[in-house]
């Protein structure tokens, strides 16, 4: 009957969502701590077109959150708003309790947000190791003079960065690829490297834009394990856009459904699966063709 | 034979100057994705800075060089900040027209301050010529070649080994992704303009030492040729700018010596056209993959 039928067997983590002020829900274990993300009534217009309207969402500190919706619903636009690649026309974003208004994307990265892209955007001419080291830029400032003169402190930083980068690569089983050019890696490895690079910036919240796109079922299964490992190991929040409903329903705790730029449902996987508005958004109203459900 | 060796050496010297200027074009293009047509005029300002420091203020040569480098670096960074930064989101054509405007502005400011008659560069380096058998190499040529070689090695190390260098490569590949890594794109572009303009100042010192006479439009021709060299080598590629500059200089001197002084520019640009027909991305340029 619905696109969610084949995922009914997948059990979600069973984390208990609790109400949070402003009508949101977050996992119970994150209650009492500042949410990593609070978006309030976000909206953006392009010319006369409203791409996203009245988007509100709260993500707990260690939550795995999902953002789903049919094609063109505005999911990636929300990610672009959260990273200030687009400036919101309306509304506020609080990252770890601090407003992101007026910040540049680079400053937001320092504040603790990182993301991957729907179409992989690695620095493909640079080595795998250098890609991760660019991500590590965040952690320590370097004076230009030190860089030029190769002082002791600079070399020490390079050594530390290198070992940290190798640790991160090792965590994802990619240490042996460190010297390769990023652009020459197989597709799945490029997707993984993009996540490693994002993690290198030491984020509090990592946004994954369709991390399973183009992956086969076994790669997707591995990805799900990795997303949980990221959350458990680094104790950070993960928010993902994904069309693979098995993945979303089995690892996300809170799910937000967008359609035509508006939030049409929020809740646990079970609530989302049962929500008639969600099913309608994906399949269209009865008697209509259900083709645009793939997505 | 002696003539050939001497021609090749003067070609290398001229080529080194082109290469230093071409590096500025190619780095700015690679990182800010714009053609800074005012770059040639920075050379002219650098040359005037030397003339004022040495002839008017009677400062020693070393101080004059430092002043020239400082003036050019500051000028490049200021131009970027005032003229190009506000246009970061504008179409490339707007930025290009602005760059041409800045170029004319610099030329006319120089015209106002220094007048239209040419001024001669003071002799700054007293280096004896080197005689190898029958071949004579001028001291200035040796200095130019030596300094350029050191600068190129230092720049290559800087780009490949330092964090700022990595940041520059990251920004040149993908601005948005670099920003998301916490790299300030604006800061990186400022550093790029600073380095490019400092290299232009060095070029202006050697240019002045070789060609002596400076007037407000002096920067245009070496500017255009260095830009050509950057395109020849593959715009956006640092080794490409070095190779393109040196080849262009050697080619120019060879055609001046063996064919015709009058025709040398036509020949040089003719070769450029041929290379670009065969390899549109330039000698070391990468074919750009269209993102789908």
């Amino acid at each position: 009957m619905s696109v969610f039928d084949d995922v009914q067997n997948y059990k979600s983590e069973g984390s208990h969502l609790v109400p949070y002020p402003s009508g949101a829900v977050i996992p119970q274990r994150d209650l009492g701590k500042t949410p990593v993300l609070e978006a309030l009534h976000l909206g953006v217009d392009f010319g006369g077109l409203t791409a996203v309207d009245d988007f509100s969402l709260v993500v707990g500190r260690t939550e795995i959150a999902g953002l789903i919706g049919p094609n063109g619903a505005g999911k990636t636009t929300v990610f672009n708003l959260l990273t200030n690649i687009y400036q919101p026309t309306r509304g506020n974003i609080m990252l770890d309790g601090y407003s992101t208004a007026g910040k540049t994307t680079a400053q937001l990265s320092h504040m603790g947000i990182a993301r991957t892209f729907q179409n992989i955007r690695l620095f493909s001419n640079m080595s795998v190791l250098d890609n991760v080291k660019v991500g590590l830029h965040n952690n320590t400032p370097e004076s230009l003079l030190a860089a030029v003169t190769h002082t002791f402190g600079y070399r020490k930083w390079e050594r530390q960065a290198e070992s940290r980068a190798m640790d991160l690569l090792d965590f994802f089983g990619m240490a042996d690829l460190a010297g390769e050019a990023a652009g020459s890696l197989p597709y799945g490895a490029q997707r993984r490297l993009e996540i490693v690079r994002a993690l290198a910036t030491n984020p509090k919240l990592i946004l994954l834009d369709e991390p399973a796109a183009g992956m086969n079922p076994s790669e997707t299964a591995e990805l799900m394990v990795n997303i949980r490992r990221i959350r458990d190991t680094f104790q950070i929040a993960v928010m993902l856009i994904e069309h693979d409903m098995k993945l979303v329903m089995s690892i996300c705790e809170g799910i937000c459904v967008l359609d035509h730029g508006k939030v049409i449902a929020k809740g646990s996987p079970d609530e989302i699966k049962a929500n008639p508005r969600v099913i309608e958004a994906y399949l269209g109203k009865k008697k209509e063709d259900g083709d645009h459900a793939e997505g | 034979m002696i003539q050939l060796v001497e021609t090749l050496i003067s070609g290398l010297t001229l080529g080194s100057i082109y290469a230093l200027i071409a590096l500025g074009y190619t780095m700015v293009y690679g990182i800010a994705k714009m053609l800074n047509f005012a770059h040639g005029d920075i050379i002219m300002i650098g040359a005037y800075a030397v003339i004022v420091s040495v002839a008017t203020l009677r400062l020693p040569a070393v101080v004059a060089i430092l002043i020239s480098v400082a003036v050019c670096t500051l000028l490049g960074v200021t131009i970027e900040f005032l003229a190009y930064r506000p246009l970061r989101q504008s179409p490339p054509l707007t930025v290009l027209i602005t760059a041409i405007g800045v170029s004319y502005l610099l030329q006319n400011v120089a015209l106002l301050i220094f007048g239209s008659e040419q001024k001669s560069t003071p002799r700054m380096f007293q280096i004896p010529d080197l005689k190898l058998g029958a071949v004579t190499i001028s001291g200035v040529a040796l200095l130019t070649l030596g300094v350029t070689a050191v600068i190129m090695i230092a720049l290559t190390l800087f780009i490949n080994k330092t964090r700022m260098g990595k940041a520059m490569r990251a920004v040149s590949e993908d601005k948005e992704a670099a920003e998301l890594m916490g790299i300030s794109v604006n800061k990186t572009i400022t550093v790029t303009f600073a380095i490019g303009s400092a290299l232009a100042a060095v070029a202006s010192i050697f240019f002045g030492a070789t060609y002596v006479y400076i007037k407000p439009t002096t920067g245009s021709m070496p500017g255009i040729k260095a830009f050509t060299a950057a395109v020849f080598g593959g715009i956006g590629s640092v080794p490409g700018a070095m190779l393109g500059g040196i080849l262009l200089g050697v080619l120019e001197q060879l055609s001046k010596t063996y064919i015709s002084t009058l025709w040398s520019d036509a020949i040089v640009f003719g070769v450029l056209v041929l290379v670009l027909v065969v390899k549109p991305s330039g000698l070391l340029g990468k074919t750009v993959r269209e993102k789908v």
Side-chain angles (χ1 to χ4, degrees), chain B residues 111-131:
Chain B
L111 196 65
L112 269 177
I113 301 175
F114 302 105
S116 58
E117 72 278 15
Q118 49 188 21
K119 288 194 169 12
S120 62
T121 316
R123 206 175 139 78
M124 301 218 297
F125 311 110
Q126 320 283 338
I127 309 163
D129 293 351
L130 181 71
K131 282 195 196 302

Side-chain angles (χ1 to χ4, degrees), chain A residues 9 13 22 30 55 78 82 89 101 105 127 143 148 153 155 166 193 198 205 226 228 237 279:
Chain A
N9 314 333
E13 285 188 349
S22 77
D30 291 334
F55 177 88
V78 167
L82 294 180
T89 317
T105 301
S127 72
S143 77
V148 176
R155 289 207 166 155
M166 289 308 292
L193 177 57
L205 168 65
N226 276 335
R228 284 210 185 96
I279 295 163

Side-chain angles (χ1 to χ4, degrees), chain A residues 127-196:
Chain A
S127 72
V128 168
L129 184 66
D130 276 354
N131 266 273
V132 182
K133 278 164 96 176
V134 165
L136 289 166
H137 253 268
N138 255 4
N139 297 337
T140 34
E142 174 205 34
S143 77
L144 190 58
L145 192 69
V148 176
T149 55
H150 278 246
T151 57
F152 180 72
Y154 163 74
R155 289 207 166 155
K156 193 172 149 202
W157 185 90
E158 278 290 308
R159 264 203 312 277
Q160 283 170 350
E162 185 137 346
S163 84
R164 172 104 182 104
M166 289 308 292
D167 284 351
L168 280 170
L169 285 171
D170 199 35
F171 187 80
F172 290 89
M174 298 182 75
D176 49 330
L177 299 171
E180 308 274 322
S184 69
L185 295 183
Y187 181 82
Q190 291 199 15
R191 281 234 170 259
R192 249 183 302 159
L193 177 57
E194 220 192 0
I195 296 177
V196 180

Side-chain angles (χ1 to χ4, degrees), chain A residues 150, chain B residues 152-162:
Chain A
H150 278 246
Chain B
M152 284 179 178
I153 291 166
L155 190 66
T156 308
L157 286 175
F158 176 76
I159 290 171
N160 290 310
K161 297 283 177 202
T162 66

Side-chain angles (χ1 to χ4, degrees), chain B residues 13 39 79 85 158 163 184 204 275 288:
Chain B
T13 313
H39 190 61
I79 291 173
R85 187 171 296 190
F158 176 76
R163 279 171 64 198
S184 160
S204 80
V275 168
V288 181

Side-chain angles (χ1 to χ4, degrees), chain A residues 106 110 121 124 140 154 157, chain B residues 161 163 166 173-174 179 182:
Chain A
H110 290 267
R121 287 169 71 173
S124 45
T140 34
Y154 163 74
W157 185 90
Chain B
K161 297 283 177 202
R163 279 171 64 198
K166 276 192 203 85
E173 281 203 45
D174 191 330
E179 277 266 343

Side-chain angles (χ1 to χ4, degrees), chain A residues 18-26 30-35 38 58:
Chain A
V18 292
Y20 189 80
S22 77
V25 283
I26 61 169
D30 291 334
L31 201 66
K33 297 173 205 149
T34 315
E38 266 181 284
V58 176

Side-chain angles (χ1 to χ4, degrees), chain B residues 128-139:
Chain B
D129 293 351
L130 181 71
K131 282 195 196 302
L132 289 172
V135 181
T136 310
I137 309 168
S138 82

